[in-house]
mmCIF file of all heavy atoms in Angstrom:
data_model
loop_
_atom_site.group_PDB
_atom_site.id
_atom_site.type_symbol
_atom_site.label_atom_id
_atom_site.label_comp_id
_atom_site.label_asym_id
_atom_site.label_seq_id
_atom_site.Cartn_x
_atom_site.Cartn_y
_atom_site.Cartn_z
ATOM 1 N N LYS F 151 38.014 119.161 123.237
ATOM 2 C CA LYS F 151 37.121 118.038 123.487
ATOM 3 C C LYS F 151 36.253 117.668 122.304
ATOM 4 O O LYS F 151 36.015 116.478 122.068
ATOM 5 C CB LYS F 151 36.221 118.356 124.695
ATOM 6 C CG LYS F 151 36.965 118.548 126.003
ATOM 7 C CD LYS F 151 35.999 118.869 127.133
ATOM 8 C CE LYS F 151 36.752 119.077 128.444
ATOM 9 N NZ LYS F 151 35.830 119.417 129.551
ATOM 10 N N LEU F 152 35.747 118.649 121.577
ATOM 11 C CA LEU F 152 34.758 118.379 120.537
ATOM 12 C C LEU F 152 35.323 118.661 119.152
ATOM 13 O O LEU F 152 36.074 119.621 118.968
ATOM 14 C CB LEU F 152 33.506 119.238 120.750
ATOM 15 C CG LEU F 152 32.665 118.952 121.992
ATOM 16 C CD1 LEU F 152 31.519 119.947 122.086
ATOM 17 C CD2 LEU F 152 32.138 117.524 121.981
ATOM 18 N N PRO F 153 34.943 117.847 118.157
ATOM 19 C CA PRO F 153 35.280 118.201 116.766
ATOM 20 C C PRO F 153 34.435 119.392 116.314
ATOM 21 O O PRO F 153 33.337 119.630 116.834
ATOM 22 C CB PRO F 153 34.943 116.932 115.987
ATOM 23 C CG PRO F 153 33.921 116.235 116.828
ATOM 24 C CD PRO F 153 34.247 116.555 118.252
ATOM 25 N N ALA F 154 34.941 120.126 115.342
ATOM 26 C CA ALA F 154 34.252 121.338 114.896
ATOM 27 C C ALA F 154 34.415 121.485 113.391
ATOM 28 O O ALA F 154 35.373 120.996 112.786
ATOM 29 C CB ALA F 154 34.798 122.568 115.612
ATOM 30 N N PHE F 155 33.444 122.176 112.804
ATOM 31 C CA PHE F 155 33.488 122.530 111.391
ATOM 32 C C PHE F 155 33.202 124.023 111.296
ATOM 33 O O PHE F 155 32.261 124.524 111.913
ATOM 34 C CB PHE F 155 32.458 121.738 110.586
ATOM 35 C CG PHE F 155 32.557 121.959 109.109
ATOM 36 C CD1 PHE F 155 33.393 121.181 108.330
ATOM 37 C CD2 PHE F 155 31.814 122.951 108.475
ATOM 38 C CE1 PHE F 155 33.497 121.374 106.962
ATOM 39 C CE2 PHE F 155 31.912 123.165 107.113
ATOM 40 C CZ PHE F 155 32.756 122.368 106.356
ATOM 41 N N PHE F 156 34.024 124.743 110.527
ATOM 42 C CA PHE F 156 33.945 126.195 110.476
ATOM 43 C C PHE F 156 33.401 126.652 109.122
ATOM 44 O O PHE F 156 33.874 126.221 108.069
ATOM 45 C CB PHE F 156 35.329 126.817 110.704
ATOM 46 C CG PHE F 156 35.908 126.508 112.052
ATOM 47 C CD1 PHE F 156 36.671 125.372 112.252
ATOM 48 C CD2 PHE F 156 35.680 127.348 113.129
ATOM 49 C CE1 PHE F 156 37.209 125.080 113.487
ATOM 50 C CE2 PHE F 156 36.201 127.065 114.383
ATOM 51 C CZ PHE F 156 36.968 125.928 114.556
ATOM 52 N N VAL F 157 32.420 127.527 109.190
ATOM 53 C CA VAL F 157 31.863 128.186 108.005
ATOM 54 C C VAL F 157 32.264 129.649 108.097
ATOM 55 O O VAL F 157 31.739 130.406 108.915
ATOM 56 C CB VAL F 157 30.337 128.033 107.933
ATOM 57 C CG1 VAL F 157 29.788 128.755 106.713
ATOM 58 C CG2 VAL F 157 29.946 126.563 107.914
ATOM 59 N N PHE F 158 33.224 130.050 107.276
ATOM 60 C CA PHE F 158 33.802 131.388 107.382
ATOM 61 C C PHE F 158 32.890 132.482 106.851
ATOM 62 O O PHE F 158 33.006 133.639 107.243
ATOM 63 C CB PHE F 158 35.134 131.449 106.622
ATOM 64 C CG PHE F 158 36.117 130.403 107.045
ATOM 65 C CD1 PHE F 158 36.833 129.678 106.107
ATOM 66 C CD2 PHE F 158 36.313 130.117 108.386
ATOM 67 C CE1 PHE F 158 37.747 128.705 106.485
ATOM 68 C CE2 PHE F 158 37.221 129.142 108.784
ATOM 69 C CZ PHE F 158 37.933 128.444 107.836
ATOM 70 N N GLY F 159 31.982 132.147 105.964
ATOM 71 C CA GLY F 159 31.190 133.157 105.298
ATOM 72 C C GLY F 159 31.880 133.651 104.034
ATOM 73 O O GLY F 159 33.036 133.316 103.756
ATOM 74 N N LYS F 160 31.172 134.450 103.266
ATOM 75 C CA LYS F 160 31.704 134.952 101.998
ATOM 76 C C LYS F 160 31.461 136.446 101.915
ATOM 77 O O LYS F 160 30.375 136.902 101.543
ATOM 78 C CB LYS F 160 31.056 134.227 100.821
ATOM 79 C CG LYS F 160 31.349 132.730 100.808
ATOM 80 C CD LYS F 160 30.706 132.049 99.623
ATOM 81 C CE LYS F 160 31.026 130.545 99.622
ATOM 82 N NZ LYS F 160 30.423 129.856 98.463
ATOM 83 N N ALA F 161 32.482 137.213 102.279
ATOM 84 C CA ALA F 161 32.385 138.663 102.211
ATOM 85 C C ALA F 161 32.522 139.123 100.763
ATOM 86 O O ALA F 161 33.330 138.569 100.002
ATOM 87 C CB ALA F 161 33.462 139.311 103.073
ATOM 88 N N PRO F 162 31.758 140.121 100.338
ATOM 89 C CA PRO F 162 31.840 140.584 98.942
ATOM 90 C C PRO F 162 33.150 141.313 98.667
ATOM 91 O O PRO F 162 33.646 142.071 99.497
ATOM 92 C CB PRO F 162 30.641 141.528 98.819
ATOM 93 C CG PRO F 162 30.382 141.997 100.210
ATOM 94 C CD PRO F 162 30.733 140.850 101.109
ATOM 95 N N ILE F 163 33.711 141.067 97.488
ATOM 96 C CA ILE F 163 34.965 141.702 97.099
ATOM 97 C C ILE F 163 35.059 141.719 95.569
ATOM 98 O O ILE F 163 34.619 140.776 94.902
ATOM 99 C CB ILE F 163 36.187 140.979 97.709
ATOM 100 C CG1 ILE F 163 37.477 141.717 97.367
ATOM 101 C CG2 ILE F 163 36.236 139.538 97.279
ATOM 102 C CD1 ILE F 163 38.710 141.140 98.043
ATOM 103 N N ASN F 164 35.616 142.779 95.048
ATOM 104 C CA ASN F 164 35.877 142.888 93.620
ATOM 105 C C ASN F 164 37.306 142.403 93.376
ATOM 106 O O ASN F 164 38.277 143.101 93.690
ATOM 107 C CB ASN F 164 35.708 144.336 93.146
ATOM 108 C CG ASN F 164 35.727 144.466 91.630
ATOM 109 O OD1 ASN F 164 36.557 143.871 90.960
ATOM 110 N ND2 ASN F 164 34.813 145.258 91.099
ATOM 111 N N ALA F 165 37.431 141.198 92.847
ATOM 112 C CA ALA F 165 38.750 140.584 92.673
ATOM 113 C C ALA F 165 39.627 141.385 91.720
ATOM 114 O O ALA F 165 40.838 141.498 91.924
ATOM 115 C CB ALA F 165 38.610 139.145 92.179
ATOM 116 N N SER F 166 39.043 141.951 90.685
ATOM 117 C CA SER F 166 39.821 142.711 89.702
ATOM 118 C C SER F 166 40.414 143.970 90.322
ATOM 119 O O SER F 166 41.607 144.269 90.146
ATOM 120 C CB SER F 166 38.941 143.073 88.507
ATOM 121 O OG SER F 166 39.654 143.854 87.574
ATOM 122 N N ASN F 167 39.610 144.721 91.080
ATOM 123 C CA ASN F 167 40.119 145.936 91.721
ATOM 124 C C ASN F 167 41.174 145.604 92.771
ATOM 125 O O ASN F 167 42.171 146.315 92.924
ATOM 126 C CB ASN F 167 38.976 146.710 92.365
ATOM 127 C CG ASN F 167 38.022 147.291 91.342
ATOM 128 O OD1 ASN F 167 38.353 147.373 90.158
ATOM 129 N ND2 ASN F 167 36.838 147.686 91.780
ATOM 130 N N CYS F 168 40.939 144.519 93.506
ATOM 131 C CA CYS F 168 41.921 144.112 94.512
ATOM 132 C C CYS F 168 43.247 143.748 93.854
ATOM 133 O O CYS F 168 44.322 144.102 94.357
ATOM 134 C CB CYS F 168 41.371 142.935 95.320
ATOM 135 S SG CYS F 168 42.496 142.275 96.557
ATOM 136 N N ALA F 169 43.188 143.057 92.716
ATOM 137 C CA ALA F 169 44.409 142.669 92.007
ATOM 138 C C ALA F 169 45.169 143.882 91.493
ATOM 139 O O ALA F 169 46.416 143.898 91.499
ATOM 140 C CB ALA F 169 44.064 141.725 90.862
ATOM 141 N N LYS F 170 44.459 144.913 91.061
ATOM 142 C CA LYS F 170 45.132 146.130 90.599
ATOM 143 C C LYS F 170 45.897 146.794 91.726
ATOM 144 O O LYS F 170 47.066 147.184 91.562
ATOM 145 C CB LYS F 170 44.101 147.094 90.011
ATOM 146 C CG LYS F 170 43.482 146.625 88.700
ATOM 147 C CD LYS F 170 42.460 147.639 88.186
ATOM 148 C CE LYS F 170 41.824 147.161 86.889
ATOM 149 N NZ LYS F 170 40.808 148.121 86.379
ATOM 150 N N HIS F 171 45.261 146.958 92.885
ATOM 151 C CA HIS F 171 45.952 147.546 94.037
ATOM 152 C C HIS F 171 47.136 146.677 94.459
ATOM 153 O O HIS F 171 48.198 147.200 94.829
ATOM 154 C CB HIS F 171 44.972 147.710 95.196
ATOM 155 C CG HIS F 171 43.974 148.810 95.018
ATOM 156 N ND1 HIS F 171 44.316 150.145 95.139
ATOM 157 C CD2 HIS F 171 42.658 148.782 94.712
ATOM 158 C CE1 HIS F 171 43.235 150.891 94.936
ATOM 159 N NE2 HIS F 171 42.216 150.090 94.674
ATOM 160 N N LEU F 172 46.954 145.381 94.401
ATOM 161 C CA LEU F 172 48.011 144.465 94.813
ATOM 162 C C LEU F 172 49.216 144.571 93.892
ATOM 163 O O LEU F 172 50.372 144.669 94.363
ATOM 164 C CB LEU F 172 47.467 143.038 94.851
ATOM 165 C CG LEU F 172 48.470 141.917 95.153
ATOM 166 C CD1 LEU F 172 49.150 142.143 96.495
ATOM 167 C CD2 LEU F 172 47.766 140.555 95.126
ATOM 168 N N CYS F 173 48.995 144.563 92.596
ATOM 169 C CA CYS F 173 50.115 144.629 91.650
ATOM 170 C C CYS F 173 50.802 145.988 91.685
ATOM 171 O O CYS F 173 52.032 146.062 91.583
ATOM 172 C CB CYS F 173 49.611 144.318 90.239
ATOM 173 S SG CYS F 173 49.080 142.606 90.023
ATOM 174 N N ASN F 174 50.042 147.057 91.858
ATOM 175 C CA ASN F 174 50.651 148.383 91.958
ATOM 176 C C ASN F 174 51.541 148.487 93.193
ATOM 177 O O ASN F 174 52.627 149.075 93.144
ATOM 178 C CB ASN F 174 49.573 149.460 92.001
ATOM 179 C CG ASN F 174 48.843 149.598 90.682
ATOM 180 O OD1 ASN F 174 49.375 149.243 89.624
ATOM 181 N ND2 ASN F 174 47.618 150.103 90.731
ATOM 182 N N TYR F 175 51.074 147.907 94.287
ATOM 183 C CA TYR F 175 51.902 147.933 95.501
ATOM 184 C C TYR F 175 53.137 147.051 95.336
ATOM 185 O O TYR F 175 54.235 147.409 95.784
ATOM 186 C CB TYR F 175 51.083 147.460 96.704
ATOM 187 C CG TYR F 175 51.904 147.319 97.966
ATOM 188 C CD1 TYR F 175 52.376 148.435 98.646
ATOM 189 C CD2 TYR F 175 52.228 146.054 98.462
ATOM 190 C CE1 TYR F 175 53.138 148.304 99.787
ATOM 191 C CE2 TYR F 175 52.982 145.914 99.608
ATOM 192 C CZ TYR F 175 53.443 147.046 100.265
ATOM 193 O OH TYR F 175 54.207 146.918 101.398
ATOM 194 N N ALA F 176 52.975 145.879 94.690
ATOM 195 C CA ALA F 176 54.110 144.977 94.498
ATOM 196 C C ALA F 176 55.172 145.612 93.616
ATOM 197 O O ALA F 176 56.382 145.398 93.829
ATOM 198 C CB ALA F 176 53.635 143.655 93.906
ATOM 199 N N LEU F 177 54.756 146.385 92.630
ATOM 200 C CA LEU F 177 55.726 147.051 91.752
ATOM 201 C C LEU F 177 56.507 148.128 92.493
ATOM 202 O O LEU F 177 57.677 148.366 92.198
ATOM 203 C CB LEU F 177 55.004 147.661 90.552
ATOM 204 C CG LEU F 177 54.420 146.669 89.536
ATOM 205 C CD1 LEU F 177 53.619 147.409 88.468
ATOM 206 C CD2 LEU F 177 55.520 145.838 88.901
ATOM 207 N N SER F 178 55.870 148.788 93.451
ATOM 208 C CA SER F 178 56.550 149.846 94.205
ATOM 209 C C SER F 178 57.360 149.307 95.373
ATOM 210 O O SER F 178 58.211 150.015 95.911
ATOM 211 C CB SER F 178 55.524 150.863 94.723
ATOM 212 O OG SER F 178 54.607 150.225 95.609
ATOM 213 N N SER F 179 57.110 148.065 95.761
ATOM 214 C CA SER F 179 57.826 147.483 96.896
ATOM 215 C C SER F 179 59.129 146.855 96.425
ATOM 216 O O SER F 179 59.204 146.240 95.361
ATOM 217 C CB SER F 179 56.953 146.424 97.586
ATOM 218 O OG SER F 179 57.656 145.814 98.643
ATOM 219 N N ARG F 180 60.146 147.001 97.233
ATOM 220 C CA ARG F 180 61.446 146.424 96.914
ATOM 221 C C ARG F 180 61.556 144.968 97.381
ATOM 222 O O ARG F 180 62.547 144.307 97.112
ATOM 223 C CB ARG F 180 62.549 147.241 97.567
ATOM 224 C CG ARG F 180 62.598 148.689 97.096
ATOM 225 C CD ARG F 180 63.702 149.442 97.801
ATOM 226 N NE ARG F 180 63.773 150.836 97.354
ATOM 227 C CZ ARG F 180 64.633 151.735 97.841
ATOM 228 N NH1 ARG F 180 65.503 151.357 98.787
ATOM 229 N NH2 ARG F 180 64.612 152.956 97.393
ATOM 230 N N LYS F 181 60.549 144.518 98.106
ATOM 231 C CA LYS F 181 60.567 143.161 98.643
ATOM 232 C C LYS F 181 59.434 142.351 98.020
ATOM 233 O O LYS F 181 58.454 142.907 97.527
ATOM 234 C CB LYS F 181 60.405 143.181 100.170
ATOM 235 C CG LYS F 181 61.479 143.947 100.906
ATOM 236 C CD LYS F 181 61.198 143.928 102.403
ATOM 237 C CE LYS F 181 62.259 144.686 103.192
ATOM 238 N NZ LYS F 181 61.970 144.675 104.648
#
Side-chain angles (χ1 to χ4, degrees):
K151 297 180 181 179
L152 294 177
F155 186 88
F156 298 89
V157 179
F158 305 135
K160 297 181 179 181
I163 184 174
N164 190 316
S166 177
N167 292 344
C168 178
K170 291 180 181 179
H171 287 286
L172 175 58
C173 292
N174 291 336
Y175 174 72
L177 291 175
S178 62
S179 177
R180 299 179 180 178
K181 300 179 180 179

